[in-house]
């Protein structure tokens, strides 16, 4: 169950990576690289920091799903681009899931709650940052003032609190943390909440 | 024998990194950083993912060869640039060698063939991608439609097939896979084979 | 004692990262990411290469200090920018400290002196390079011809020599190496020493 959810998140992230490849007129290799980086980059960095072999290099699904996403975007990108508003909702779901799963894995490997939550955020946003850097852009996360990292932080903190504070393990806790981050992310999009600039900078 | 081949590949990759430093008017430190990144980056990423200490930090030759390449380019870069067509052939040899060696090492550490082949490709193209990102450019690999990653993929797949399918180990298998990738890369350059853009994008 | 010095270096590096965020008009998330990357990136890369869990994910101070630096820059960036000349001196102290501490840790984990010194330089300059790449710029280190990496190299070499050559361990050796790098860095700034371009390139 948890692996299926994980693969669903990877699929959505891979679609967004491959679509950025189309927008920047990359070739099929570039599309595949961006798809794989977006989908797997955050988890690979998390596992390197936990000092374990990355899950992406142990399970076949993690490699096949980005390949499938690349093929779909290669042939049907106008249709995929047309349903991007729906994909943004799925992306929010992926964000919530990745921050919860990442935090939980870090706690299981013995990190304290603060570090585990930080690593959950890295899991959720790391792939997108790598995608942007490879595509020659400053990561959107750093400047566009949408609340994208903040919902992940709160979801990760929720997961860490449930796990370390209340002793709640397993999928109910994961789901609660993922839903919290998802709802906050959707609300931030709907209501156009914005991250502040440093004090005194004009809007 | 295998280490000498490896160091030869590192030397060629380091030359290309240092030359990019000259073209972008970097100083000698920048030339050295690009030389080292190009030559060693792919192997370091491979070893981090395999969760072993990178070979580049265990063997003196891996550090000295990029230093020598940087010194050569520093003093004689016009001559080195003039022989770049020959260097492109050597680069193709390095590409073939790195994908074969990388795949083999991954198989020896217990990865399954698909993941091992993927890691072989990372070994072969990772250093060049890091070089381009550090030099402020989108990695050539992603957009220029030359077949560079694809020969590495086929060489890595060949290595994985020989090793896992036929039980062939050691240098004859490595050499066969390396030669396959090399020949395909040279053919792609000669015949100007091109990677496709997403369907419907004008050429 | 050594952890307090380490945290002082992290604080200064985090200030410089957050200030770059202000200059590039990033939002508060971007400021925090650059602060954390600059302060912790070099040490994380060092620990990944040593194949140990990064210290930044084991000690609370390493996470809290960049957060505090980000808050300070968020509210009082004009004052912080005004004292940047003083911060450049502190940055030189951080550079010296990080190269000495990084080299020493690498020696303790069994690297030979050459690789340990290289890893000390990575510790000292890696965070700043990651900061520049994330901010969409070529790392300053590669082109600006200030001697920044070279003092770190000499400090790391000094540390490796004292440790492996003379058997000197502990804080006196660390301090000597750190002071050497610091003094060289300050001298390079004061006297405007410059790294050379490749031979034949006009200044």
């Amino acid at each position: 169950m948890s692996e299926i959810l994980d693969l669903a998140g990877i699929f959505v992230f891979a679609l967004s990576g491959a679509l950025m490849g189309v927008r920047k007129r990359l070739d099929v290799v570039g599309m595949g690289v961006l798809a794989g980086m977006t989908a797997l980059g955050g988890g690979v960095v998390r596992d390197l920091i936990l000092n374990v072999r990355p899950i992406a290099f142990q399970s076949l699904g993690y490699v096949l799903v980005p390949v499938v996403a690349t093929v779909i975007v290669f042939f049907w990108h106008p249709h995929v681009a047309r349903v991007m508003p729906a994909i943004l909702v799925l992306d929010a779901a992926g964000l919530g899931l990745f921050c919860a799963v990442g935090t939980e894995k870090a706690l299981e490997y013995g990190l304290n709650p603060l570090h585990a939550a930080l690593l959950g955020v890295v899991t959720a946003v790391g792939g997108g940052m790598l995608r942007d850097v490879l595509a020659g852009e400053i990561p959107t996360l750093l400047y566009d003032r949408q609340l994208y990292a903040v919902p992940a932080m709160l979801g990760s903190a929720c997961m860490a609190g449930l796990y370390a504070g209340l002793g709640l393990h397993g999928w109910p806790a994961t789901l609660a943390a993922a839903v919290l981050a998802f709802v906050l992310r959707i609300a931030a999009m709907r209501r156009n909440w914005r991250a502040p600039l440093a004090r005194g900078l004009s809007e």
Side-chain angles (χ1 to χ4, degrees), chain A:
Chain A
M1 178 62 187
S2 122
E3 178 149 345
I4 290 177
L5 283 176
D6 215 17
L7 291 177
I10 285 171
F11 182 68
V12 174
F13 278 26
L15 286 181
S16 90
L19 272 179
M20 173 174 264
V22 173
R23 274 202 306 279
K24 306 212 73 153
R25 294 185 56 83
L26 305 184
D27 61 34
V28 65
V29 171
M31 291 170 59
V33 170
L34 289 195
M37 244 353 151
T38 313
L40 307 177
V44 167
V45 170
R46 174 201 61 204
D47 292 346
L48 291 179
I49 286 172
L50 289 176
N51 205 11
V52 297
R53 191 169 290 175
I55 180 76
F57 285 86
Q58 294 182 325
S59 166
L60 289 181
Y62 286 81
V63 176
L64 297 180
V65 165
V67 170
V68 170
T70 303
V71 170
I72 289 174
V73 171
F74 185 87
F75 285 108
W76 299 288
H77 55 92
H79 305 84
V80 179
R82 212 171 299 137
V83 298
M84 266 312 278
I87 286 187
L88 281 177
V89 174
L90 292 174
D91 179 87
L95 181 79
L97 200 72
F98 277 25
C99 76
V101 169
T103 304
E104 191 172 21
K105 184 166 185 178
L107 288 162
E108 280 162 5
Y109 278 86
L111 263 60
N112 66 49
L114 178 71
H115 290 121
L118 177 61
L119 208 46
V121 176
V122 168
T123 310
V125 308
M129 287 179 65
L130 285 169
R131 173 199 64 206
D132 293 346
V133 167
L134 281 179
E137 304 195 341
I138 299 178
T140 321
L141 190 69
L142 300 188
Y143 64 85
D144 83 343
R145 308 188 56 194
Q146 283 193 44
L147 292 189
Y148 191 84
V150 174
M153 284 179 209
L154 294 171
S156 293
C158 168
M159 181 76 225
L162 290 174
Y163 189 106
L166 303 181
L168 287 176
H169 295 219
W171 69 263
T174 317
L175 200 66
V179 167
L180 174 66
F182 171 74
V183 168
L184 286 171
R185 171 69 187 130
I186 296 289
M189 284 197 286
R190 287 274 161 87
R191 311 200 165 187
N192 203 22
W193 288 339
R194 310 189 74 192
L197 297 179
R199 194 171 67 157
L201 291 192
S202 57
E203 291 287 307

